[in-house]
Amino acid sequence: MKISAVVASRMTSTRLPGKIMMDLCGQPALIRLIERLKNSKYIHQIVIATTTNQQDDIIVEVANKMGVLYHRGSEEDVLLRTVEAALATETDLIVQITSDCPLLDAETVDKVIEHRLENPFLDYVSNSLVRTYPMGFSVEVFKTAALQKVEQLTQDPADREHVSLYMYERPEIFHLSNIEAPNFLRHPEYRLTLDTKEDYQVISNIYDKLYPDNPFFNLYDITRYLQGNPNVVFINQNIKQKKAR
């Protein structure tokens, strides 16, 4: 069974255009995310699912530079883009990652994958159905075949934009499961996603403090740092996350 991390990426973010190319210790945020995903024990390949827009040519350049696969498709129809990327790369099990999570560590990713591998009857596994991990550490795992089914069932614009929305809103149809964070890492109040200038301040601060000593610092390291530096958490605590519906 081929397991692929499928990373939806585009330059035309509405809140913070070009955010995935913002610098984190000398490299774009997208490169930092790819580096961290390469540390997974289970991911066979990384697929950057980007758009056909000319602005996203730079994303293809990054994929080539990092030696990972890419697929180009619709900007608005992220569901179709993801299905097409998975099929084009012969993916059996999709590990859905968003490109605004440059702090996401391989340990968190692998914990979600492991749960799905141990329970093959599950259609959908994530760590965000009930949020106990920080924002920016969301991982979703599901079969390509299940997502193909979803793609054929719905034309709702929200479903087409938010890849797995149709699945996790319908527990009566799909077998769902959620992973919860260990007590020490249980900080859903931490906002560690890259969506605003304030978010970039937080993430850049964490990279500047932790990356030089350990490029593959994990969520334990981040949590220890933030507990000792609560002023960093305050920088973006008032930012509201956009809702899928």
Side-chain angles (χ1 to χ4, degrees), residues 8 10 14 75-82 96 98 155-165 242-245:
R10 65 187 179 108
T14 51
E75 178 177 14
E76 301 302 329
D77 194 341
V78 191
L79 173 57
L80 179 61
R81 192 200 318 165
T82 302
Q96 179 75 11
T98 56
Q155 291 301 318
D156 185 301
D159 293 333
R160 309 302 294 196
E161 180 183 357
H162 302 279
V163 175
S164 57
L165 181 65
K242 291 186 292 184
K243 301 290 184 182
R245 290 197 193 277

Short mmCIF file of all heavy atoms in Angstrom, two decimals, residues 8 10 14 75-82 96 98 155-165 242-245:
data_model
loop_
_atom_site.label_atom_id
_atom_site.label_comp_id
_atom_site.label_asym_id
_atom_site.label_seq_id
_atom_site.Cartn_x
_atom_site.Cartn_y
_atom_site.Cartn_z
N ALA A 8 -1.64 20.36 -0.18
CA ALA A 8 -2.29 21.37 -1.02
C ALA A 8 -1.57 22.71 -0.84
O ALA A 8 -1.45 23.20 0.29
CB ALA A 8 -3.76 21.50 -0.66
N ARG A 10 -0.72 26.76 -2.61
CA ARG A 10 -0.91 27.81 -3.61
C ARG A 10 -0.37 29.12 -3.07
O ARG A 10 -0.27 29.31 -1.85
CB ARG A 10 -2.38 27.94 -4.01
CG ARG A 10 -3.30 28.41 -2.90
CD ARG A 10 -4.75 28.36 -3.30
NE ARG A 10 -5.64 28.78 -2.21
CZ ARG A 10 -6.30 29.92 -2.17
NH1 ARG A 10 -6.19 30.79 -3.16
NH2 ARG A 10 -7.08 30.22 -1.13
N THR A 14 -5.73 34.21 0.64
CA THR A 14 -6.47 35.47 0.76
C THR A 14 -5.97 36.32 1.92
O THR A 14 -5.87 37.54 1.82
CB THR A 14 -7.98 35.18 0.94
OG1 THR A 14 -8.15 34.23 2.00
CG2 THR A 14 -8.57 34.60 -0.33
N GLU A 75 -7.66 25.56 -8.96
CA GLU A 75 -7.40 26.36 -7.76
C GLU A 75 -8.55 26.26 -6.77
O GLU A 75 -8.33 26.06 -5.58
CB GLU A 75 -7.18 27.83 -8.14
CG GLU A 75 -6.96 28.71 -6.91
CD GLU A 75 -6.67 30.16 -7.25
OE1 GLU A 75 -6.89 30.57 -8.41
OE2 GLU A 75 -6.20 30.89 -6.35
N GLU A 76 -9.77 26.39 -7.25
CA GLU A 76 -10.94 26.43 -6.37
C GLU A 76 -11.39 25.04 -5.93
O GLU A 76 -11.81 24.85 -4.78
CB GLU A 76 -12.10 27.16 -7.06
CG GLU A 76 -11.77 28.59 -7.48
CD GLU A 76 -11.36 29.48 -6.32
OE1 GLU A 76 -11.84 29.26 -5.19
OE2 GLU A 76 -10.54 30.39 -6.54
N ASP A 77 -11.31 24.07 -6.82
CA ASP A 77 -11.79 22.72 -6.53
C ASP A 77 -10.64 21.89 -5.93
O ASP A 77 -10.01 21.08 -6.61
CB ASP A 77 -12.34 22.07 -7.80
CG ASP A 77 -13.15 20.81 -7.51
OD1 ASP A 77 -13.00 20.25 -6.40
OD2 ASP A 77 -13.93 20.40 -8.39
N VAL A 78 -10.39 22.10 -4.65
CA VAL A 78 -9.26 21.44 -3.98
C VAL A 78 -9.53 19.94 -3.83
O VAL A 78 -8.61 19.13 -3.86
CB VAL A 78 -8.98 22.08 -2.61
CG1 VAL A 78 -7.65 21.57 -2.05
CG2 VAL A 78 -8.94 23.60 -2.71
N LEU A 79 -10.79 19.57 -3.69
CA LEU A 79 -11.17 18.16 -3.61
C LEU A 79 -10.74 17.42 -4.87
O LEU A 79 -10.06 16.37 -4.80
CB LEU A 79 -12.68 18.04 -3.37
CG LEU A 79 -13.30 16.65 -3.43
CD1 LEU A 79 -12.65 15.70 -2.43
CD2 LEU A 79 -14.80 16.73 -3.18
N LEU A 80 -11.12 17.95 -6.02
CA LEU A 80 -10.75 17.31 -7.28
C LEU A 80 -9.24 17.32 -7.47
O LEU A 80 -8.65 16.32 -7.91
CB LEU A 80 -11.42 18.03 -8.45
CG LEU A 80 -11.11 17.49 -9.85
CD1 LEU A 80 -11.55 16.03 -9.98
CD2 LEU A 80 -11.75 18.35 -10.93
N ARG A 81 -8.60 18.42 -7.13
CA ARG A 81 -7.14 18.52 -7.25
C ARG A 81 -6.44 17.43 -6.44
O ARG A 81 -5.48 16.81 -6.88
CB ARG A 81 -6.66 19.90 -6.80
CG ARG A 81 -5.21 20.20 -7.18
CD ARG A 81 -4.58 21.30 -6.35
NE ARG A 81 -5.44 22.45 -6.10
CZ ARG A 81 -5.16 23.36 -5.17
NH1 ARG A 81 -4.08 23.25 -4.41
NH2 ARG A 81 -5.98 24.39 -4.98
N THR A 82 -6.95 17.19 -5.23
CA THR A 82 -6.36 16.19 -4.36
C THR A 82 -6.57 14.78 -4.89
O THR A 82 -5.65 13.96 -4.90
CB THR A 82 -6.94 16.31 -2.94
OG1 THR A 82 -6.69 17.63 -2.45
CG2 THR A 82 -6.31 15.31 -1.99
N GLN A 96 -3.35 13.78 4.41
CA GLN A 96 -3.70 15.13 3.99
C GLN A 96 -3.05 16.15 4.92
O GLN A 96 -3.30 16.17 6.13
CB GLN A 96 -5.23 15.30 3.99
CG GLN A 96 -5.72 16.67 3.60
CD GLN A 96 -5.62 16.92 2.10
OE1 GLN A 96 -5.36 16.01 1.31
NE2 GLN A 96 -5.82 18.16 1.70
N THR A 98 -1.95 20.43 5.14
CA THR A 98 -2.05 21.76 4.51
C THR A 98 -0.69 22.44 4.60
O THR A 98 0.07 22.22 5.55
CB THR A 98 -3.13 22.63 5.17
OG1 THR A 98 -2.86 22.74 6.57
CG2 THR A 98 -4.50 22.01 4.99
N GLN A 155 -21.31 18.32 -4.90
CA GLN A 155 -20.90 19.51 -5.66
C GLN A 155 -20.97 20.76 -4.78
O GLN A 155 -20.83 21.88 -5.29
CB GLN A 155 -21.77 19.67 -6.90
CG GLN A 155 -21.55 18.61 -7.96
CD GLN A 155 -20.11 18.56 -8.45
OE1 GLN A 155 -19.49 19.60 -8.68
NE2 GLN A 155 -19.58 17.37 -8.62
N ASP A 156 -21.20 20.57 -3.49
CA ASP A 156 -21.26 21.70 -2.55
C ASP A 156 -19.93 22.45 -2.57
O ASP A 156 -18.87 21.82 -2.38
CB ASP A 156 -21.57 21.16 -1.15
CG ASP A 156 -21.78 22.28 -0.14
OD1 ASP A 156 -20.86 23.10 0.05
OD2 ASP A 156 -22.86 22.31 0.48
N PRO A 157 -19.93 23.76 -2.78
CA PRO A 157 -18.67 24.52 -2.84
C PRO A 157 -17.79 24.35 -1.61
O PRO A 157 -16.56 24.30 -1.73
CB PRO A 157 -19.15 25.98 -2.99
CG PRO A 157 -20.49 25.87 -3.62
CD PRO A 157 -21.10 24.61 -3.07
N ALA A 158 -18.40 24.25 -0.42
CA ALA A 158 -17.61 24.07 0.80
C ALA A 158 -16.90 22.72 0.79
O ALA A 158 -15.73 22.60 1.18
CB ALA A 158 -18.49 24.18 2.04
N ASP A 159 -17.60 21.67 0.33
CA ASP A 159 -16.99 20.35 0.22
C ASP A 159 -15.86 20.33 -0.79
O ASP A 159 -14.85 19.64 -0.60
CB ASP A 159 -18.04 19.31 -0.20
CG ASP A 159 -19.11 19.08 0.85
OD1 ASP A 159 -18.81 19.28 2.04
OD2 ASP A 159 -20.24 18.70 0.47
N ARG A 160 -16.03 21.07 -1.88
CA ARG A 160 -15.00 21.09 -2.93
C ARG A 160 -13.75 21.86 -2.47
O ARG A 160 -12.65 21.57 -2.91
CB ARG A 160 -15.54 21.73 -4.22
CG ARG A 160 -16.84 21.19 -4.75
CD ARG A 160 -16.84 19.70 -5.05
NE ARG A 160 -15.95 19.32 -6.14
CZ ARG A 160 -16.01 18.14 -6.77
NH1 ARG A 160 -16.94 17.25 -6.43
NH2 ARG A 160 -15.16 17.84 -7.71
N GLU A 161 -13.96 22.83 -1.58
CA GLU A 161 -12.82 23.61 -1.07
C GLU A 161 -12.12 22.91 0.09
O GLU A 161 -10.89 22.93 0.19
CB GLU A 161 -13.29 25.00 -0.61
CG GLU A 161 -12.17 25.87 -0.07
CD GLU A 161 -12.64 27.22 0.44
OE1 GLU A 161 -13.86 27.51 0.33
OE2 GLU A 161 -11.80 27.98 0.95
N HIS A 162 -12.89 22.30 0.98
CA HIS A 162 -12.34 21.64 2.17
C HIS A 162 -12.41 20.13 1.95
O HIS A 162 -13.47 19.52 2.13
CB HIS A 162 -13.10 22.07 3.41
CG HIS A 162 -13.08 23.55 3.63
ND1 HIS A 162 -12.02 24.21 4.20
CD2 HIS A 162 -13.98 24.51 3.30
CE1 HIS A 162 -12.27 25.50 4.25
NE2 HIS A 162 -13.45 25.72 3.70
N VAL A 163 -11.29 19.56 1.58
CA VAL A 163 -11.20 18.22 1.00
C VAL A 163 -12.00 17.15 1.74
O VAL A 163 -12.73 16.38 1.14
CB VAL A 163 -9.71 17.81 0.89
CG1 VAL A 163 -9.57 16.38 0.41
CG2 VAL A 163 -8.97 18.77 -0.03
N SER A 164 -11.87 17.08 3.05
CA SER A 164 -12.44 15.97 3.81
C SER A 164 -13.74 16.34 4.53
O SER A 164 -14.29 15.53 5.28
CB SER A 164 -11.43 15.46 4.83
OG SER A 164 -11.03 16.53 5.68
N LEU A 165 -14.25 17.54 4.32
CA LEU A 165 -15.43 18.03 5.05
C LEU A 165 -16.62 17.08 4.92
O LEU A 165 -17.27 16.75 5.92
CB LEU A 165 -15.79 19.43 4.54
CG LEU A 165 -16.98 20.12 5.20
CD1 LEU A 165 -16.71 20.42 6.67
CD2 LEU A 165 -17.30 21.44 4.46
N LYS A 242 -10.74 30.75 10.26
CA LYS A 242 -11.88 30.72 9.34
C LYS A 242 -12.59 29.38 9.43
O LYS A 242 -11.95 28.33 9.52
CB LYS A 242 -11.39 30.97 7.90
CG LYS A 242 -10.89 32.39 7.67
CD LYS A 242 -10.55 32.62 6.22
CE LYS A 242 -9.35 31.82 5.78
NZ LYS A 242 -8.96 32.12 4.38
N LYS A 243 -13.91 29.41 9.39
CA LYS A 243 -14.72 28.20 9.45
C LYS A 243 -14.95 27.62 8.05
O LYS A 243 -15.05 28.36 7.07
CB LYS A 243 -16.07 28.50 10.11
CG LYS A 243 -15.99 29.05 11.52
CD LYS A 243 -15.51 28.00 12.50
CE LYS A 243 -15.53 28.55 13.95
NZ LYS A 243 -15.02 27.53 14.90
N ALA A 244 -15.06 26.29 8.01
CA ALA A 244 -15.33 25.64 6.73
C ALA A 244 -16.73 25.97 6.23
O ALA A 244 -16.95 26.13 5.02
CB ALA A 244 -15.17 24.13 6.86
N ARG A 245 -17.68 26.11 7.16
CA ARG A 245 -19.05 26.49 6.79
C ARG A 245 -19.48 27.70 7.62
O ARG A 245 -19.13 27.81 8.76
CB ARG A 245 -20.01 25.35 7.07
CG ARG A 245 -19.82 24.16 6.14
CD ARG A 245 -21.05 23.27 6.18
NE ARG A 245 -20.81 21.98 5.56
CZ ARG A 245 -20.90 21.76 4.25
NH1 ARG A 245 -21.18 22.76 3.44
NH2 ARG A 245 -20.69 20.57 3.76
#
